[in-house]
Amino acid sequence: MTQIRYHLRTTVVLCASGIALMLSNSVLAQDKPVTRQEMLRGTITPEREWWDVLHYDLSVQFMPATRSIKGSNVITFKSLKPGSKMQIDLQTPLSISKVLHGNTELKFEREGNVYWVTFEKELPQGVEDKIEISYGGHPTEAKNPPWDGGVTWGRDDLGDWYINTTCEGIGASVWWPNKDIGSDEPDRGMKINITVPDNLVDVSNGRLKGVDHDEQAKTKTYHWEVTNPINNYGVNANIGNYINWSEKYEGLGGTLDINYWVLPHQKEAAMTTFKEVPRMLNAFEYWFGKYPWYEDGYKLVTVSYPGMEHQSSVTYGNYYRNGYRERDISGTGIGLKFDFIIVHESGHEWFGNNISMRDAADMWIHEGFTNYSENLFVEYYWGKQMGADYVIGTRRGIRNDTPIIGTYGANREGSGDMYNKGGNLLHTVRQIVNDDAKWRSILQGLNKDFWHQTVTTQQVESYISQHAGIDLSKVFDQYLRTTKIPLLKYKIESDNLSFQYDRIVQGFAMPIRVTVNGKEVTIKPSETMQTMTFPEAITSVVVDRNFYVESEAVK
Ligand SMILES: [Zn+2]
């Protein structure tokens, strides 16, 4: 999702252009002890560890008149070891009414947002099996989608129902029962069958396989299917008076089916704005390799909130205008050259959906890389200089309040700096690698080698170090695990330049480009003072702005 919020219920800071930025709740959250509910949600508990999700078959009826839902989820799984007790997540106020294992009704008990389901006897290791969970009730309503999610029972401009689900952070278990942790995606994909009043249309992920009309009940059921693994929060239902058109995109994976779903009165504006989609695909396939979901297609679906990276059905609420709701997060004006939501949320198809975090503490893998993808989009169309201006411009939003990496095992993400600081970390790493072809091959390699996988930050960091041929571990430690920005201190004495880093983790020795007397040199400062002698008296030292450091001339 995107970082910027306009509707705020907590402390805000206003940056230069007046864009309200959310002060991270994690300032306090990181110091708080992990509650049992958070632990159950955020860790691979013994009741989760023994089974692997293979497939979800979700059926949900949305009943706007009563703002309630009811349905079932058939979970197909494989036992990785023997097990008899299963953790299923479903948040209050929804409740499970029945769990079926074949013809047997299983016992279950509730502990807050977790259900403990007990099998009639222990399942052996290595079997494939399934359970069917029936559930229903009034789901939590979204207070500020997409950041504070749930179900939005809205109306469109013409008064028709306009209903969306959003659940990043809060979790998919806010509207359907599942194994609600990033590390286990359904390997064979998912069926999403959504029943709605028959004057409405549901748009969900993947491909539309069919529509059933129950004339007596006055409902229609839309059968969507995703054939690839999908992260839970990427699953969504969008219900409204949608119309559709499509186009084909010839890309690295062959022919990609693109579908656009909007409300009828938006079509003209959308047909112009959505021309950004093939442009986005051109740029991102160039930088990151092929779009990860040719089998499931690509959709852009209009919604009432700003947007979200729902896998293969990116949602869009950016008023059909450039920028982020006509604002530029970089403050350079460059952000007004493209539609922020189409570019950012689609960038997540590579970082977030193709490569997904196992633990919410590593969410920078989603947001840092996707923030970074914005400047690569700019670079692809307007050149390297402008791309750099953009990502450097976004530094104004960095707060350095708490580290980017959050708390493990508690479903707690780190600082909102994961966006702009994450992007600037990657821009800085590119400078260290100092070989654009190699850097691009690393970005493509990540998407190829971690294709459709869930990963840890450690895997991503090691991958980049290994393929760059440079140990970047201290650089990642510095920017991901501390709030300190390195300070390059230097002193000029005639033809001598002395320099060292301050405010660094032990062992941090990032090489950095500086221009001395108009000539570019790479120096390798560390925590100890070093001196370089130049052929003539030094009159000027300029630190390359592409590196995210601060500098200070010492007298
Ligand atoms: Zn995002």
Side-chain angles (χ1 to χ4, degrees):
M1 78 181 121
T2 169
Q3 172 186 31
I4 309 146
R5 306 171 180 225
Y6 290 111
H7 310 288
L8 299 151
R9 293 175 299 104
T10 46
T11 324
V12 297
V13 286
L14 292 173
C15 56
S17 71
I19 294 176
L21 295 170
M22 182 70 193
L23 248 187
S24 175
N25 290 326
S26 59
V27 175
L28 295 170
Q30 288 201 338
D31 298 332
K32 280 195 217 154
V34 175
T35 65
R36 177 163 166 81
Q37 282 290 310
E38 283 181 308
M39 182 278 288
L40 292 175
R41 174 66 196 290
T43 48
I44 302 169
T45 60
E47 294 80 7
R48 278 174 166 169
E49 192 188 15
W50 67 272
W51 55 287
D52 175 38
V53 180
L54 298 178
H55 187 261
Y56 289 126
D57 188 349
L58 176 68
S59 303
V60 191
Q61 181 172 2
F62 282 74
M63 296 166 287
T66 54
R67 296 190 173 215
S68 60
I69 62 176
K70 66 175 179 193
S72 66
N73 188 17
V74 178
I75 304 178
T76 305
F77 62 93
K78 187 179 170 186
S79 57
L80 303 173
K81 48 169 96 169
S84 59
K85 193 174 170 192
M86 188 178 255
Q87 175 180 340
I88 297 294
D89 303 276
L90 182 68
Q91 297 177 31
T92 56
L94 291 173
S95 60
I96 290 177
S97 53
K98 198 192 326 184
V99 182
L100 274 178
H101 180 224
N103 295 321
T104 309
E105 269 197 48
L106 298 184
K107 291 200 178 97
F108 58 85
E109 56 181 330
R110 177 163 221 169
E111 184 183 350
N113 293 328
V114 164
Y115 280 84
W116 305 113
V117 177
T118 309
F119 284 83
E120 63 276 35
K121 63 175 199 285
E122 187 176 78
L123 270 64
Q125 180 181 339
V127 296
E128 187 174 320
D129 209 335
K130 56 185 169 187
I131 56 168
E132 180 177 356
I133 301 166
S134 300
Y135 78 106
H138 295 269
T140 295
E141 294 189 17
K143 294 183 190 76
N144 183 24
W147 303 280
D148 204 345
V151 176
T152 303
W153 303 96
R155 299 275 187 177
D156 68 17
D157 298 341
L158 305 177
D160 286 318
W161 281 109
Y162 197 27
I163 302 160
N164 309 118
T165 62
T166 46
C167 55
E168 184 174 17
I170 195 168
S173 55
V174 76
W175 71 280
W176 56 283
N178 61 83
K179 187 185 204 176
D180 206 355
I181 186 164
S183 56
D184 195 0
E185 298 185 356
D187 308 66
R188 297 178 198 156
M190 179 161 179
K191 285 183 177 164
I192 307 157
N193 313 289
I194 304 291
T195 302
V196 297
D198 63 3
N199 61 325
L200 298 172
V201 174
D202 170 71
V203 188
S204 291
N205 314 68
R207 291 184 187 270
L208 184 60
K209 307 301 279 191
V211 184
D212 293 330
H213 191 181
D214 184 336
E215 288 182 34
Q216 211 169 5
K218 293 196 170 58
T219 59
K220 279 186 177 168
T221 301
Y222 290 81
H223 300 280
W224 294 89
E225 185 167 18
V226 175
T227 60
N228 285 301
I230 182 167
N231 53 25
N232 292 351
Y233 81 82
V235 177
N236 73 151
N238 302 291
I239 299 158
N241 186 25
Y242 283 106
I243 55 159
N244 157 253
W245 78 95
S246 63
E247 66 174 306
K248 303 227 181 265
Y249 173 80
E250 298 302 327
L252 296 180
T255 304
L256 174 65
D257 293 312
I258 300 179
N259 273 276
Y260 302 107
W261 294 85
V262 301
L263 302 179
H265 64 285
Q266 300 167 332
K267 189 175 179 186
E268 202 184 320
M271 286 192 90
T272 305
T273 301
F274 290 1
K275 291 198 171 95
E276 196 86 289
V277 169
R279 284 168 55 78
M280 171 279 295
L281 288 164
N282 282 339
F284 288 160
E285 286 207 326
Y286 171 82
W287 284 110
F288 304 143
K290 75 169 179 174
Y291 173 75
W293 323 108
Y294 273 78
E295 303 80 4
D296 295 327
Y298 173 93
K299 281 196 291 292
L300 197 58
V301 186
T302 192
V303 290
S304 55
Y305 60 88
M308 176 53 75
E309 61 262 29
H310 298 116
Q311 184 175 313
S312 74
S313 68
V314 172
T315 47
Y316 176 90
N318 203 30
Y319 306 148
Y320 310 101
R321 293 188 184 117
N322 276 354
Y324 174 73
R325 298 199 156 185
E326 293 189 284
R327 290 165 195 247
D328 168 21
I329 66 162
S330 76
T332 59
I334 299 163
L336 299 175
K337 295 172 86 68
F338 61 95
D339 188 303
F340 176 89
I341 289 294
I342 293 175
V343 170
H344 178 95
E345 306 305 345
S346 301
H348 277 302
E349 294 286 19
W350 285 264
F351 291 98
N353 296 341
N354 186 35
I355 305 173
S356 307
M357 64 192 178
R358 296 179 71 86
D359 189 302
D362 290 338
M363 197 184 266
W364 86 279
I365 298 168
H366 297 200
E367 300 300 353
F369 278 92
T370 302
N371 173 281
Y372 181 68
S373 77
E374 296 157 24
N375 97 80
L376 293 180
F377 177 86
V378 171
E379 177 171 331
Y380 186 81
Y381 286 106
W382 297 286
K384 200 169 169 179
Q385 171 78 25
M386 219 176 258
D389 287 345
Y390 179 86
V391 67
I392 292 166
T394 66
R395 285 182 195 163
R396 70 192 187 133
I398 299 173
R399 296 186 303 267
N400 287 311
D401 51 357
T402 58
I404 286 176
I405 302 267
T407 307
Y408 288 100
N411 191 45
R412 279 194 202 164
E413 54 194 74
S415 167
D417 281 347
M418 70 178 86
Y419 292 81
N420 299 324
K421 191 176 167 186
N424 273 284
L425 160 62
L426 292 166
H427 185 65
T428 300
V429 171
R430 178 186 185 174
Q431 313 309 315
I432 303 169
V433 173
N434 198 25
D435 177 338
D436 284 352
K438 187 190 267 186
W439 178 238
R440 187 174 146 223
S441 79
I442 290 172
L443 295 171
Q444 292 177 346
L446 283 164
N447 275 285
K448 191 160 153 277
D449 292 344
F450 296 134
W451 179 255
H452 295 183
Q453 287 176 35
T454 63
V455 298
T456 63
T457 189
Q458 230 69 53
Q459 286 175 278
V460 172
E461 292 171 38
S462 304
Y463 187 95
I464 297 174
S465 283
Q466 192 191 330
H467 290 265
I470 304 166
D471 180 2
L472 295 159
S473 56
K474 298 293 177 188
V475 174
F476 287 117
D477 280 348
Q478 177 79 34
Y479 291 97
L480 294 175
R481 298 180 178 86
T482 83
T483 56
K484 295 183 292 187
I485 298 309
L487 177 65
L488 176 66
K489 287 182 164 173
Y490 63 90
K491 189 173 183 178
I492 301 167
E493 285 169 305
S494 181
D495 54 354
N496 284 331
L497 179 68
S498 304
F499 49 82
Q500 74 181 119
Y501 279 130
D502 197 4
R503 302 194 310 228
I504 50 170
V505 298
Q506 206 181 2
F508 180 92
M510 178 176 77
I512 188 168
R513 282 194 298 268
V514 292
T515 303
V516 178
N517 290 352
K519 252 181 100 177
E520 194 177 275
V521 289
T522 298
I523 58 173
K524 199 178 174 191
S526 65
E527 53 227 321
T528 52
M529 182 72 83
Q530 299 168 60
T531 302
M532 258 174 95
T533 305
F534 286 79
E536 67 230 36
I538 298 166
T539 53
S540 74
V541 174
V542 180
V543 178
D544 189 330
R545 70 194 182 113
N546 289 296
F547 293 79
Y548 181 37
V549 298
E550 288 167 7
S551 62
E552 185 182 286
V554 184
K555 292 268 187 274

